[in-house]
Amino acid sequence: MYPDFSLDPPTSRGGQPAFWVGPRHLAGDDGRLYDRVSDTLAGLGWTSLTIVRGRHELDEEPEDRQVLRSTVLHISPDTLRWAQWSLADEPFHLGGLPIAWQISARTDTSSPLAAWSSYFTTDVPGEAVADYLVALHARDQPAVPYTGPEMVLDAVAAHGWFRDIDQLHAGATDPTFTSQISLGEVPPLIQDADPRVLTAEADEVGPAGWQAWAEPALGVPCLWAASFSASVPHDLVAVFAASLSSTAPVLRRVLPEATRERLLRAPA
């Protein structure tokens, strides 16, 4: 890796230069978060449905159509799990950033309600979301917990992250203290089938869920954020955490402005 290598070397054939960059958790999504995840889902055999809402006049050219909202929904072959690209569909925000992917699962096909949901904003590394979905697809029972929360912290600790000294069993941060993962209070609007989520009083803390985010500098906007509702199995979160904290470089052409000076990079 060459941290001082120019970000703007001459390019051939007018294309953008590509770099191997790290650390992954600060590398952004390369502007390809939808493509990376949807390609993974297509490879797993998931069905995609596109819902487009807008106005279309009879004599109007296709390129002039006024599309107001659109959503792409990917559904697993057993219909127990689904992933929704909601960036174009007026998503709510997480950490001040719009939700791009919402991934959910249910216990059986008789219930239309999700047992749990997870949310990822733009600039979450696509590799981590893709690995998370592959693990979800491989699970026989997507809503049944197998392990405890310690597995998540073990996954990031194996890649050099430090446990939070104030919450050794519920949080960790990367060596540069820019990215964190924490088990704690779940933000508003995060969907979960655990009844305690709905019955908790205003002064009570409901069931805990995993949250992860990258804050390039104190007081500046987050680069990305991810939220897992209380019932998301810990082993799935551990897969996401392991991929997010991986020391393996990733290929990028578009580097986040907020973290480009922090990235180690080498021409690809």
Side-chain angles (χ1 to χ4, degrees):
M1 306 300 267
Y2 304 96
D4 296 323
F5 192 89
S6 170
L7 283 176
D8 302 301
T11 59
S12 60
R13 302 181 183 177
Q16 288 181 296
F19 299 91
W20 290 108
V21 304
R24 180 179 300 189
H25 59 90
L26 297 180
D29 62 12
D30 206 29
R32 299 186 65 254
L33 186 57
Y34 175 77
D35 294 335
R36 180 62 186 257
V37 174
S38 63
D39 288 349
T40 297
L41 294 175
L44 294 174
W46 289 35
T47 300
S48 64
L49 304 172
T50 303
I51 304 170
V52 178
R53 298 187 273 288
R55 186 174 64 233
H56 180 57
E57 304 295 338
L58 292 178
D59 58 349
E60 188 177 35
E61 296 296 327
E63 61 269 19
D64 295 329
R65 181 177 181 183
Q66 298 182 30
V67 176
L68 302 181
R69 305 173 72 192
S70 63
T71 298
V72 183
L73 182 66
H74 300 258
I75 305 173
S76 66
D78 61 6
T79 71
L80 291 179
R81 48 216 109 189
W82 59 94
Q84 178 178 325
W85 173 258
S86 57
L87 194 60
D89 200 23
E90 298 180 9
F92 67 88
H93 286 63
L94 182 67
L97 300 170
I99 298 294
W101 280 103
Q102 176 178 342
I103 299 168
S104 306
R106 56 181 175 171
T107 54
D108 57 72
T109 56
S110 64
S111 172
L113 301 178
W116 57 258
S117 292
S118 50
Y119 305 81
F120 306 89
T121 71
T122 53
D123 273 326
V124 174
E127 294 85 356
V129 182
D131 289 344
Y132 175 72
L133 281 162
V134 170
L136 172 61
H137 178 83
R139 251 176 163 264
D140 291 333
Q141 297 176 299
V144 177
Y146 293 159
T147 61
E150 195 70 15
M151 187 176 187
V152 177
L153 299 179
D154 288 343
V156 295
H159 293 148
W161 286 36
F162 305 131
R163 297 203 181 212
D164 190 325
I165 193 171
D166 295 321
Q167 47 176 358
L168 289 174
H169 302 289
T173 184
D174 79 286
T176 66
F177 300 99
T178 54
S179 298
Q180 299 183 53
I181 189 164
S182 177
L183 179 63
E185 185 177 359
V186 178
L189 304 179
I190 301 300
Q191 299 177 14
D192 194 272
D194 190 325
R196 293 176 297 168
V197 173
L198 300 176
T199 59
E201 300 294 336
D203 58 346
E204 294 179 342
V205 177
W210 287 100
Q211 318 302 316
W213 66 94
E215 187 178 16
L218 189 62
V220 305
C222 289
L223 172 64
W224 57 262
S227 181
F228 303 84
S229 71
S231 297
V232 177
H234 297 296
D235 59 289
L236 290 179
V237 183
V239 170
F240 170 80
S243 182
L244 177 72
S245 61
S246 172
T247 57
V250 290
L251 192 64
R252 292 290 186 269
R253 287 180 171 82
V254 180
L255 303 180
E257 189 66 34
T259 58
R260 58 190 289 155
E261 297 305 323
R262 290 177 173 267
L263 294 170
L264 301 175
R265 50 196 178 268

